[in-house]
Amino acid sequence: MTWIDRITLFSTLDFVALGLLVAGWVLIGWRIEHPGAKKPSTSQIMAGFRREWMRQMITREPRIFDAQIVSNLRQGTAFFASTSVIALGGALAVIGNAERLAGVANDLSLMEAPVFVWEAKLVVLTLFLTNAFLKFAWANRLFGYAAVLMAAVPNDITDPNCMFRADQAAEINVTAARSFNRGLRSVYFALTVAAWLAGPIALMLAMVFTLAVIWRREFASESRSILLGTKT
């Protein structure tokens, strides 16, 4: 069977659903990281607090509190990175034994499909999990960079390098958080891809639900109102 023959095993609706999934993943990420000035995302609001944190740290003595926060952030990224690897290993194991999955998936979708179809769907899932792992691993390293930069910030506010170093630490911290959030979104969409086993309609419904959850958390959540100071 050639690759062209294998592609024809998928329906037009499958390709539409997959295209919408990728487009939704890219667009929601872009919107979160480039929100309008009048409606910032939770991630953007937190970026402002991270910059303020680095400024407040300058005169804090000792900086054990700040070091503990960074340590906790690194532990969080390490946890999600290891979880992504475990999930990725599980998905690869299922791909290697896709015959059993095909029976369950055929029952869910109420249609018969070759094993290759289910393997291809699992490959898409593994791509999202791989991206998640890479983002979490990079976030972990960036938080390490931020810790080193924080240690290089002088305590003396009159030092000419003081604010410059603090701003450097802040931007690395913000970049690390951005990478972590991208990893989380990849995990969300990896879970969404699992719905594809029940068919393209199920994938599109799951994608709408996932986008709604992400949008609410970033633009309409109670925690966002608290961060903005508008929660009464």
Side-chain angles (χ1 to χ4, degrees):
M1 180 180 292
T2 64
W3 280 104
I4 295 178
D5 295 329
R6 291 182 175 183
I7 291 176
T8 58
L9 295 174
F10 295 91
S11 66
T12 301
L13 198 56
D14 280 310
F15 289 110
V16 171
L18 181 59
L20 290 174
L21 178 77
V22 175
W25 174 55
V26 172
L27 290 176
I28 192 65
W30 184 88
R31 182 59 178 171
I32 289 171
E33 295 176 8
H34 302 84
K38 295 183 179 180
K39 194 175 180 63
S41 63
T42 300
S43 297
Q44 290 296 102
I45 298 170
M46 283 303 302
F49 279 105
R50 291 175 188 277
R51 294 183 177 99
E52 181 63 24
W53 169 24
M54 293 298 104
R55 298 188 190 102
Q56 295 296 328
M57 179 202 65
I58 294 174
T59 55
R60 188 156 30 237
E61 185 66 33
R63 295 173 178 172
I64 297 174
F65 174 74
D66 306 284
Q68 187 62 47
I69 294 177
V70 175
S71 177
N72 290 338
L73 291 173
R74 293 199 73 187
Q75 288 177 10
T77 56
F79 169 78
F80 278 102
S82 60
T83 302
S84 298
V85 169
I86 293 172
L88 181 59
L92 292 174
V94 173
I95 291 176
N97 195 19
E99 290 80 7
R100 293 186 179 181
L101 173 66
V104 177
N106 286 332
D107 291 338
L108 289 174
S109 61
L110 300 178
M111 60 174 289
E112 293 293 330
V115 174
F116 171 78
V117 171
W118 311 118
E119 290 176 339
K121 293 179 179 181
L122 287 173
V123 166
V124 176
L125 188 150
T126 61
L127 290 176
F128 277 104
L129 289 176
T130 300
N131 183 71
F133 167 74
L134 294 174
K135 295 301 181 184
F136 289 136
W138 183 235
N140 185 273
R141 186 160 188 174
L142 286 175
F143 279 126
Y145 292 165
V148 174
L149 280 168
M150 289 166 64
V153 177
N155 288 110
D156 185 2
I157 192 67
T158 62
D159 191 307
N161 288 324
C162 183
M163 192 58 68
F164 175 70
R165 294 293 182 216
D167 288 341
Q168 282 185 309
E171 293 309 315
I172 291 293
N173 198 308
V174 169
T175 304
R178 185 185 304 121
S179 183
F180 179 79
N181 290 331
R182 288 175 178 176
L184 279 181
R185 287 197 295 273
S186 290
V187 172
Y188 294 156
F189 278 89
L191 295 174
T192 303
V193 173
W196 198 8
L197 298 176
I201 299 297
L203 175 60
M204 287 189 283
L205 291 175
M207 181 198 64
V208 171
F209 176 78
T210 300
L211 289 175
V213 169
I214 295 175
W215 181 270
R216 180 189 175 279
R217 291 179 178 179
E218 290 288 342
F219 296 100
S221 65
E222 183 177 0
S223 57
R224 177 181 178 277
S225 297
I226 294 172
L227 291 172
L228 285 173
T230 59
K231 181 66 176 178
T232 57

